[in-house]
Amino acid sequence: MNDSKKTSAEFRVLSSFESGKPYFLWDFPGVDCVQELEYQWHKKGKLKAVVRVAIQKDGKAVSSPGLPFGGIWIFGSIHTDELTQFVDRFVLDLKNRGLSSLFLTQPPKPYEPFTDLIQSVLLKKGFVQTSVFSHQFFLGKKKIKEEAQNLKEKLKSQKNDLRLTSYRGQIMNFKFLQEIRNWNNERGYAFNLDEKRVIEQVSVFPERYFQISIFKNDHPIAHAMAVKLVPEGMYYFLSAISPSAKVPNCGDLILLNLFQLAAEQKSEFIDLGSSEIESGINHGLMFFKSRFSNDISNKVTWNLRF
């Protein structure tokens, strides 16, 4: 008797996909891939688990290249043995395709509540951690609204005294991306952003992307981009402050607008992102974000060699 009969479950392999997944970027084409596959686990007619992978020219399978994360997603709930069977099935399929390895970047827990279970199963199935990035979060829809009001009161006098104005809303044009690039370069920060790909994503999903800008005398001095990667969350994706701006607490003003935006969008959490790069931790940035966070969760990339 096969696994499907024992669990009344069905394993499916798809090479064409339906749009509308909660993680909207999943529907955006992968980077440098020759084929994309979606593996699904169904039980009693309901989708229980899914993972999408891009097969690359070098024989690697990656979930998902060019995106913040990919990994396994659970719908509703799932038992450990079912999840284990699902992992076994899609790993076997990838092996049979002659691939050399699989990389899964599992999202932090606020995105996927079953992340701990998923990562436990991956570890037991022989997957190895290749990178771990800590993301700082602010959790709670009501708390976000309260924090937005607290920050507004705290920064009100400074904003008025310096005659600062701000914009937060959907992206109108992409000039601010070039200014973010220039300001980061002036500060000597690495800026590895595929602007063309971002512009394509914004063009396809304009309702998911937001711009935050701070102005002094109508001149931009700071920008940020935020993204609703999932309907209930706001991701603080990109930011920069002009090196010539002599405005104290300018970063605080960006975060004020971020919290206000999240409150307006009825977000249940804000992902402030990671303060780490491959070469190490940006301790100043981590300390700054810690003032606006109430939780930490890891984004882990797992690798299995076949």
Side-chain angles (χ1 to χ4, degrees), residues 132-169:
V132 180
F133 290 97
S134 295
H135 282 229
Q136 291 168 285
F137 287 85
F138 194 95
L139 307 179
K141 183 187 294 185
K142 184 178 180 180
K143 290 182 179 180
I144 289 172
K145 189 174 181 180
E146 291 173 349
E147 184 68 9
Q149 187 59 39
N150 292 338
L151 289 170
K152 181 179 179 180
E153 292 300 318
K154 178 182 177 181
L155 298 170
K156 183 178 180 180
S157 59
Q158 175 188 336
K159 191 174 180 181
N160 292 337
D161 291 345
L162 295 174
R163 298 181 181 179
L164 302 176
T165 58
S166 61
Y167 168 80
R168 62 178 180 275

Side-chain angles (χ1 to χ4, degrees), residues 231-265:
E232 66 273 19
M234 187 68 69
Y235 176 41
Y236 182 51
F237 172 49
L238 194 65
S239 67
I241 299 172
S242 170
S244 62
K246 306 301 179 183
V247 175
N249 301 320
C250 195
D252 292 36
L253 291 170
I254 296 176
L255 268 293
L256 161 62
N257 280 272
L258 176 67
F259 274 81
Q260 290 175 320
L261 176 63
E264 292 160 2
Q265 293 292 316

Side-chain angles (χ1 to χ4, degrees), residues 177-216:
L177 279 182
Q178 186 59 52
E179 290 176 325
I180 288 177
R181 173 181 288 278
N182 293 340
W183 294 340
N184 277 310
N185 287 339
E186 286 180 48
R187 292 179 179 274
Y189 298 156
F191 188 79
N192 300 316
L193 179 70
D194 186 341
E195 292 176 40
K196 181 180 178 181
R197 186 169 169 82
V198 170
I199 291 171
E200 289 175 352
Q201 291 168 350
V202 175
S203 299
V204 178
F205 307 103
E207 74 285 355
R208 296 278 198 151
Y209 285 83
F210 301 89
Q211 175 184 344
I212 295 171
S213 295
I214 309 297
F215 302 89
K216 183 177 182 181

